[in-house]
Amino acid sequence: MMFKKVLIAEDLGWNTRNIEEEVKRLGAQEVVISEYCDDAYLKFLRAMNDGDPFDLLISDLSFKEDHRTQKLKSGDELITAVRKYQKDLNIIVFSMEERLQRIRFLFEDLNINAYVFKSRQSLKHLSAALDAITNDKPYISHQVAKALEKRHSLDIEDYDFVLLKKLSIGLSNKEVSDYFKEHDISPNGISSIEKRINRLRIQFKANNAVHLISNAKDLGLI
């Protein structure tokens, strides 16, 4: 294992201990743990300033709020922050998040190296993820990988994700049209939006708009 110095951002103590034991078993010499994203970020910066940066960040996405006020409130925000300083930092997301659009964003925009879905087999998958990264390969837990394959087979675009999201919060076609015009999203005419919704209904085998949103949620798209 090439990762000697590891930073873990996770707010569940029992989970953190299991991750720490696993990475140490695989050869990590130094493991630093933070239960808050802000603390993890400060430890990351301190290591950079000391000339002894971390080789690997393992982070959850969701952190429970408590009495402490935090600037960085999620793993996404932590990853975005560290990426500004260390483009080559290896990053594993360790989470129960199933929304495919969010996972896609993590890989395509934040350039994470692996996504491990929390389950009874988490540590086994974590070991597989570490092995994959060592060999310059990405890793996605099979539960999420299967869902992503379904998503690709649907052949939907970023435009469709935004449209589905707006419909899911109750916007009418006219309100969606107004939103698209305001944000320079095209096509934004009501008739074009209606045609796109009908196309999505066919792709998702949905009887109506409500059924469409339900199927999209089942696939983790919104």
Side-chain angles (χ1 to χ4, degrees):
M1 175 178 165
M2 62 180 288
F3 310 114
K4 301 301 181 183
K5 187 172 182 179
V6 180
L7 175 60
I8 300 174
E10 166 68 73
D11 60 356
L12 295 178
W14 61 269
N15 214 23
T16 305
R17 287 192 295 274
N18 289 336
I19 298 172
E20 180 184 14
E21 290 174 3
E22 183 64 14
V23 294
K24 283 185 174 180
R25 185 184 71 81
L26 293 171
Q29 296 176 356
E30 182 179 354
V31 179
V32 178
I33 298 170
S34 291
E35 295 184 356
Y36 298 90
C37 290
D38 282 357
D39 288 350
Y41 184 54
L42 290 175
K43 289 173 180 176
F44 164 82
L45 291 177
R46 188 176 299 116
M48 288 284 292
N49 291 334
D50 291 343
D52 186 23
F54 288 96
D55 304 306
L56 173 68
L57 166 65
I58 300 175
S59 178
D60 195 351
L61 294 179
S62 301
F63 290 78
K64 291 184 178 180
E65 294 185 14
D66 58 17
H67 63 282
R68 290 183 56 173
T69 301
Q70 299 291 308
K71 291 183 179 179
L72 302 176
K73 298 181 180 180
S74 70
D76 314 58
E77 294 179 6
L78 171 62
I79 294 168
T80 299
V82 302
R83 269 284 178 251
K84 293 178 181 178
Y85 292 94
Q86 193 175 349
K87 302 292 186 182
D88 62 346
L89 176 66
N90 293 286
I91 299 176
I92 296 176
V93 170
F94 192 76
S95 174
M96 292 185 70
E97 176 62 68
E98 294 182 282
R99 286 175 292 175
L100 304 187
Q101 182 67 348
R102 190 178 186 187
I103 297 170
R104 179 174 171 239
F105 170 77
L106 291 169
F107 277 100
E108 295 184 1
D109 291 75
L110 299 185
N111 298 314
I112 68 168
N113 303 88
Y115 185 91
V116 176
F117 184 75
K118 288 183 179 179
S119 67
R120 293 179 180 177
Q121 300 297 318
S122 293
L123 295 182
K124 178 181 177 181
H125 294 163
L126 176 61
S127 178
L130 291 166
D131 184 61
I133 296 174
T134 300
N135 290 287
D136 294 319
K137 296 179 181 179
Y139 178 87
I140 308 176
S141 292
H142 69 276
Q143 301 99 317
V144 178
K146 287 182 179 179
L148 283 171
E149 288 174 5
K150 286 184 179 179
R151 181 263 172 200
H152 284 299
S153 69
L154 289 171
D155 188 28
I156 61 177
E157 305 169 6
D158 289 340
Y159 177 96
D160 300 315
F161 284 112
V162 179
L163 175 56
L164 289 168
K165 183 65 176 179
K166 295 307 171 184
L167 293 174
S168 73
I169 61 176
L171 267 61
S172 66
N173 291 355
K174 182 182 184 306
E175 289 171 327
V176 173
S177 175
D178 292 340
Y179 175 87
F180 281 3
K181 289 175 181 177
E182 182 181 346
H183 292 81
D184 295 322
I185 300 173
S186 296
N188 49 40
I190 294 178
S191 62
S192 296
I193 290 171
E194 290 174 344
K195 289 178 182 177
R196 185 62 70 100
I197 292 173
N198 287 332
R199 195 194 80 177
L200 289 171
R201 282 176 55 190
I202 293 171
Q203 284 184 288
F204 284 79
K205 299 179 180 179
N207 299 322
N208 50 49
V210 174
H211 193 196
L212 170 62
I213 296 304
S214 176
N215 288 350
K217 287 181 177 179
D218 288 342
L219 285 170
L221 299 176
I222 54 177

